[in-house]
Amino acid sequence: MTEQEVLEAVRGLIPAIRERAAEAEEARRIPDSTVKELAEAGFFRLLQPKRYGGVEADPVTFYTAVKEIAAACGSTGWIASVLGVHPWQLGLFPVQAQEDVWGETPNARISSSYAPTGKITPVEGGFRVSGRWSFSSGCDHADWVFLGGLITGPDGAPVDMRTFLLPRSDYRIDDVWNVIGLSGTGSNDIVVEDAFVPEHRTLSFSLTSACDCPGNEVNTAALYRLPFAAVFSTTISTPIVGMAQGALDAYVKHTKQRISVSYGNKVAEDPHAQVRIATASSEIDAAWALMERNISELLRHAEAGQELPFELRLRTRRDQVLATQRCIKAVDMLFESAGGRALAHGNAIQRGWRDAHAGRVHAVNDPERALTMYGKGLLGFPVADNMI
């Protein structure tokens, strides 16, 4: 399938995904049928290397699909984005790690939890890994997991931060996900008890930041020379743009039918409501347009074999974190004027509001950190951060 054929196939699933949104919330995980349909549509192969049956799509195509899924169901959009980006990251790992996962199971899925909360002990040939990692979205639908971990020197100080790749047999899932937003993502805890991870199933964040990874030896497409920070942060913000768009669509539909209890007039005729719709839609469009522009520019530089401009990398993080802020502003503006009926369980406006705010608290959406980096860079100060 071409990337456009995959996108059209995903669009054909949107009505059913929207219908299952309440089911996902109640079950606290995405229905198996939705994951199966997305897989059959080719969605999870969009960013997978061609040598393992993937599409190697333009990342904007991937993010477009995510945005449209998230507009129908925020939790499904979040899971689609996170599980869908991991084939791209695996493509950066040593070839043996890719073979371990895709050699016999090209459809294998990977969840993640990058905060380095576990214990990593270097041993001959690799590492012993133990601990608990939280917020592994979609882990119930995954066969492997990426876990973040710090490697320390003899004095106990960190000397490297890596991603460790573990199969499902090496960890258990603790069902702890009971939350008010993105409640259908099943973002449960991963628990590892003294598992061995061979060296080839690890990848340093310093390499992903340098855009020079072992997997580039075989996966030579420009897609795999993009910075992890740009790809992953956009992976987190894009579903929030979709959630805001879904809330806006629901608000417009709701407003067309709404009669003001206080004034007895049609709310659609209220100029204040019209202004809110215009302003919210502009914030959402701006969020998407800037992220799309930045990812496309990064890809063009990579396709030309050029070094990625540092200012562009900083700008990508700036616009990503502000995209989330713009969408939070939009959903707040809509929700606060949607009226009491928007509070009802199952109402898409309140669900979009809750889901967007839940996505906002992800660590990559920390505005002060990202914006400080951009300001420092333009003022000529050195900026050293793995998330650029």
Side-chain angles (χ1 to χ4, degrees), residues 16-357:
I17 290 173
R18 183 178 291 108
E19 286 296 318
R20 296 176 189 143
E23 178 186 346
E25 284 209 314
E26 184 176 351
R28 297 181 296 112
R29 53 174 281 170
I30 302 305
D32 292 339
S33 54
T34 295
V35 176
K36 181 175 182 290
E37 289 168 1
L38 286 171
E40 291 174 346
F43 172 81
F44 295 114
R45 290 182 181 240
L46 279 173
L47 301 185
Q48 188 165 324
K50 286 183 177 179
R51 65 197 304 267
Y52 288 107
V55 180
E56 291 187 5
D58 184 323
V60 171
T61 302
F62 170 74
Y63 293 127
T64 298
V66 167
K67 179 167 65 76
E68 296 186 19
I69 294 167
C73 172
S75 289
T76 304
W78 186 271
I79 293 302
S81 197
V82 171
L83 295 185
V85 80
H86 290 151
W88 172 83
Q89 186 181 2
L90 181 57
L92 307 180
F93 271 69
V95 175
Q96 186 57 55
Q98 298 178 50
E99 189 65 27
D100 289 350
V101 176
W102 289 322
E104 295 184 1
T105 315
N107 290 319
R109 288 184 291 273
I110 309 169
S111 68
S112 64
S113 180
Y114 295 106
T117 55
K119 180 181 179 181
I120 310 297
T121 305
V123 296
E124 184 177 355
F127 303 86
R128 305 301 304 189
V129 176
S130 298
R132 178 182 292 268
W133 286 258
S134 297
F135 313 122
S136 187
S137 298
C139 55
D140 289 322
H141 303 290
D143 311 288
W144 294 74
V145 69
F146 285 138
L147 300 176
L150 290 174
I151 299 173
T152 57
D155 60 353
V159 296
D160 194 11
M161 181 172 174
R162 298 193 186 188
T163 299
F164 296 81
L165 172 64
L166 286 78
R168 183 68 183 83
S169 57
D170 282 358
Y171 61 90
R172 75 171 191 268
I173 298 171
D174 271 7
D175 186 352
V176 297
W177 191 245
N178 291 283
V179 293
I180 63 168
L182 292 178
S183 53
T185 61
S187 302
N188 290 306
D189 286 3
I190 301 295
V191 180
V192 181
E193 297 177 357
D194 193 30
F196 173 71
V197 180
E199 176 73 29
H200 72 266
R201 288 192 203 150
T202 74
L203 183 65
S204 173
F205 273 90
S206 64
L207 297 180
T208 61
S209 181
C211 302
D212 184 16
C213 297
N216 294 138
E217 296 178 9
V218 292
N219 299 320
T220 58
L223 171 65
Y224 303 102
R225 295 196 301 275
L226 299 180
F228 175 87
V231 174
F232 181 73
S233 62
T234 306
T235 293
I236 296 302
S237 285
T238 296
I240 298 173
V241 177
M243 296 166 206
Q245 184 63 53
L248 174 63
D249 295 341
Y251 181 90
V252 170
K253 180 179 179 180
H254 174 69
T255 300
K256 287 179 179 179
Q257 303 167 350
R258 186 178 163 208
I259 303 297
S260 172
V261 175
S262 300
Y263 304 104
N265 64 311
K266 295 181 178 179
V267 177
E269 298 173 352
D270 182 353
H272 299 297
Q274 296 163 1
V275 168
R276 285 178 185 267
I277 289 171
T279 305
S281 63
S282 180
E283 294 289 354
I284 297 166
D285 286 350
W288 173 244
L290 291 174
M291 289 200 300
E292 182 182 25
R293 176 197 67 171
N294 293 335
I295 291 295
S296 294
E297 284 193 26
L298 285 168
L299 187 64
R300 282 198 296 271
H301 282 286
E303 288 172 338
Q306 301 168 345
E307 183 176 352
L308 305 179
F310 193 65
E311 182 178 346
L312 174 57
R313 295 174 67 161
L314 289 172
R315 192 182 79 195
T316 299
R317 286 286 280 122
R318 178 200 72 183
D319 292 340
Q320 166 268 318
V321 79
L322 289 177
T324 294
Q325 285 198 335
R326 287 187 170 98
C327 291
I328 292 297
K329 176 182 177 182
V331 296
D332 283 351
M333 186 182 305
L334 298 171
F335 184 63
E336 68 188 16
S337 69
R341 294 191 184 281
L343 298 171
H345 288 295
N347 185 282
I349 301 172
Q350 58 85 16
R351 182 185 294 120
W353 183 84
R354 288 186 291 108
D355 287 347
H357 276 272

